């Protein structure tokens, strides 16, 4: 109570002084047996150094989220957590997808942590950027977005589709931050606010920038995957992309109406010329025009129906109020060590 009053006081003066945070790293894992041992080693080492440097509190931990892996991931994670209480494991009852997995981890971690950073299991995102995230947090940011410096570790296809996608998202009015994946710090306050968003169709990258709160951006290098292969199949990527659009914007629906209006005008003009022709007695057989017009309208109608259907599907899913994930097991141990 007293601490929060002090913070408000500081905010008024434009300076935020924060205490060394309990930091939780939330790491989603789906079939990552090749990489989890190494991730635990590298992330654990980094966390230990941050503790020694006094940048994070001793109670800081790494929380792995097993997203229904079908390989040995869960067994390995449990071994890691058995060895060292710095590691905690949330295991979901099935594969709920990356977004739900990090949400599950963040919602669990906010009970213990002052700040949570989500990071992929494959060590592609530079772990050394943690210092920069923490500096922004200490300076008063409640949300810190990790933005990748470049995309040379991605293939041409992924690079191209990603760039086109960000352009499209901006065109549709969504406030996604370009080249920001889910390497991100959120303060407990921001996470508590996020917990109030109950939507099933969750697109964190679009949602979080709309929440307000002081935020900052941190740049980091992207490396090639440490081991294993990408768990984002083309269909998972398409689903995420579509969810991103339909959960953040209803502009596509409006565009259908605009399209309809344009067609209406066009047909109006064609209609008038046809009538004028008919009155003048020039009944030219317009086979090409007829065919083109019917193809065009048929296509436009189908696309429009598809878009509307996509939204209706989303409404249908939302009305069910199903849980976004189900936690099967949870391992968390008090850290007994004094280091
Ligand atoms: N992931 C997950 N559930 C899924 C797919 C992926 O938890 O259904 C995790 C995965 O283990 C990794 C992160 O999400 O830690 C990012 O996935 P990946 O590295 O395969 O994606 P890419 O970097 O290729 O976009
Ligand atoms: Mg990856």
């Amino acid at each position: 109570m007293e601490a929060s009053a002090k913070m408000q006081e500081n905010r008024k003066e434009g300076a935020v002084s924060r205490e060394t945070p309990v930091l939780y790293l939330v790491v989603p894992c789906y079939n990552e047996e090749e990489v989890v041992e190494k991730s635990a080693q590298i992330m654990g080492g980094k966390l230990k150094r941050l503790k020694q440097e006094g940048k994070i509190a001793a109670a800081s931990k790494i929380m792995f989220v097993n997203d229904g892996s079908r390989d040995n991931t869960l067994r390995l994670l449990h071994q890691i957590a058995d060895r060292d209480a710095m590691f905690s494991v949330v295991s979901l009852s099935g594969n709920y997808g990356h977004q739900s997995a990090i949400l599950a981890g963040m919602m669990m971690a906010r009970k213990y942590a002052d700040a949570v950073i989500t990071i992929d299991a494959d060590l592609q995102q530079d772990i050394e950027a943690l210092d920069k995230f923490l500096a922004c947090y200490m300076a008063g940011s409640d949300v810190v977005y990790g933005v990748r410096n470049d995309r040379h570790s991605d293939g041409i296809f992924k690079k191209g589709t990603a760039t086109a996608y960000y352009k499209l998202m901006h065109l549709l009015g969504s406030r996604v931050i370009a080249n920001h994946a889910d390497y991100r710090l959120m303060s407990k306050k921001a996470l508590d606010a996020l917990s109030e968003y109950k939507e099933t169709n969750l697109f964190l990258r679009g949602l979080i920038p709309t929440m307000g709160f002081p935020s900052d951006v941190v740049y980091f290098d992207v490396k090639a995957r440490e081991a294993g292969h990408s768990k984002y199949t083309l269909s998972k990527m398409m689903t995420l992309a579509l969810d991103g659009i339909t959960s953040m914007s209803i502009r596509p629906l409006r565009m259908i109406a605009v399209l309809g209006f344009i067609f209406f005008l066009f047909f109006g003009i064609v209609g008038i010329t046809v009538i004028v022709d008919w009155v003048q007695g020039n009944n030219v057989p317009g086979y090409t025009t007829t065919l083109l017009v019917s193809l065009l309208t048929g296509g436009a109608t189908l696309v429009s129906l598809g878009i509307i259907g996509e939204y209706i599907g989303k409404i249908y899913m939302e009305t069910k109020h199903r849980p976004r994930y189900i936690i099967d097991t949870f391992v968390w141990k008090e850290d007994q060590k004094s280091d």
Side-chain angles (χ1 to χ4, degrees), residues 252-253 256-257 301-315:
L253 290 176
I256 294 176
T301 312
L302 282 180
V303 170
S304 308
L305 274 178
I307 294 174
I308 294 170
E310 187 67 29
Y311 280 96
I312 292 176
K314 289 283 147 63
I315 297 167

Side-chain angles (χ1 to χ4, degrees), residues 33-42 76 79-80 83:
E33 62 180 4
E34 292 110 323
V35 84
V36 282
E37 281 287 355
K38 184 145 193 201
S39 307
Q41 192 193 330
I42 291 179
L76 293 173
Q79 280 172 13
I80 293 166
R83 282 201 302 264

Side-chain angles (χ1 to χ4, degrees), residues 256-274 293 296-297:
I256 294 176
V258 173
L259 195 71
F261 186 68
I262 294 170
F263 274 132
F264 185 73
L265 276 184
F266 175 69
F267 292 146
I269 294 163
V270 173
I272 290 168
T273 50
V274 167
V293 165
L296 208 66
T297 46

Side-chain angles (χ1 to χ4, degrees), residues 2-244:
E2 206 185 308
S4 85
K6 195 173 125 209
M7 235 179 72
Q8 278 191 344
E9 197 55 49
N10 283 336
R11 245 175 219 288
K12 267 187 223 141
E13 290 162 20
V16 179
S17 75
R18 281 181 158 160
E19 282 173 19
T20 313
V22 173
L23 175 73
Y24 268 49
L25 282 191
V26 163
V27 190
C29 305
Y30 175 57
N31 296 344
E32 298 284 9
E33 62 180 4
E34 292 110 323
V35 84
V36 282
E37 281 287 355
K38 184 145 193 201
S39 307
Q41 192 193 330
I42 291 179
M43 291 176 185
K46 179 66 187 170
L47 227 64
K48 277 197 188 109
R49 281 201 299 284
L50 288 171
K51 286 184 192 182
Q52 279 157 9
E53 290 164 9
K55 289 184 178 165
I56 55 174
S60 302
K61 278 188 197 298
I62 293 169
M63 187 175 267
F64 286 111
V65 183
N66 172 46
D67 185 20
S69 300
R70 278 186 283 271
D71 63 0
N72 257 327
T73 304
L74 184 59
R75 222 162 47 85
L76 293 173
L77 291 178
H78 279 159
Q79 280 172 13
I80 293 166
D82 270 349
R83 282 201 302 264
D84 191 338
M86 188 171 56
F87 297 94
S88 158
V89 183
V90 179
S91 184
L92 303 183
S93 64
N95 181 230
Y96 290 87
H98 179 226
Q99 298 284 295
S100 298
I102 55 180
L103 181 74
M106 290 193 296
M107 289 302 115
M108 194 57 111
R110 83 190 159 106
K111 297 178 188 159
Y112 309 94
D114 300 316
V116 172
I117 296 180
T118 45
I119 182 167
D120 289 350
D122 55 13
L123 300 170
Q124 280 192 283
Q125 296 147 325
D126 185 14
I127 189 89
E128 293 305 321
L130 288 194
D131 300 74
K132 291 192 262 177
F133 278 96
L134 286 165
C136 294
Y137 171 81
M138 293 307 277
S141 293
D142 284 295
V143 183
V144 186
Y145 303 98
V147 171
R148 48 200 298 168
N149 274 330
D150 55 60
R151 287 188 160 262
H152 56 218
S153 68
D154 278 349
I156 290 181
F157 178 71
K158 194 150 189 173
K159 206 186 299 191
T161 48
T163 314
Y165 180 62
Y166 287 121
K167 288 227 171 84
L168 180 68
M169 289 295 279
H170 273 275
L171 214 67
L172 294 175
S174 186
R175 288 161 63 185
V176 286
I177 293 172
N179 292 327
H180 159 68
D182 289 288
Y183 191 14
R184 173 179 54 232
L185 177 145
M186 290 183 79
S187 70
K188 181 174 165 49
K189 187 165 62 171
L191 288 173
D192 288 346
L194 181 66
S195 73
E196 299 293 322
Y197 288 73
K198 304 290 186 206
E199 57 221 71
T200 316
N201 179 20
L202 196 70
F203 185 64
L204 294 169
R205 291 172 215 179
L207 184 64
I208 293 169
T210 65
M211 286 174 35
F213 292 120
S215 66
D216 212 335
V217 167
V218 150
Y219 292 90
F220 68 94
D221 292 324
V222 185
K223 299 174 209 151
R225 219 171 203 283
E226 198 61 46
H229 55 86
S230 176
K231 304 302 175 304
Y232 259 99
T233 54
L234 186 62
S235 85
K236 271 192 176 160
M237 229 159 75
M238 297 273 287
T239 309
L240 181 74
L242 260 181
D243 281 353

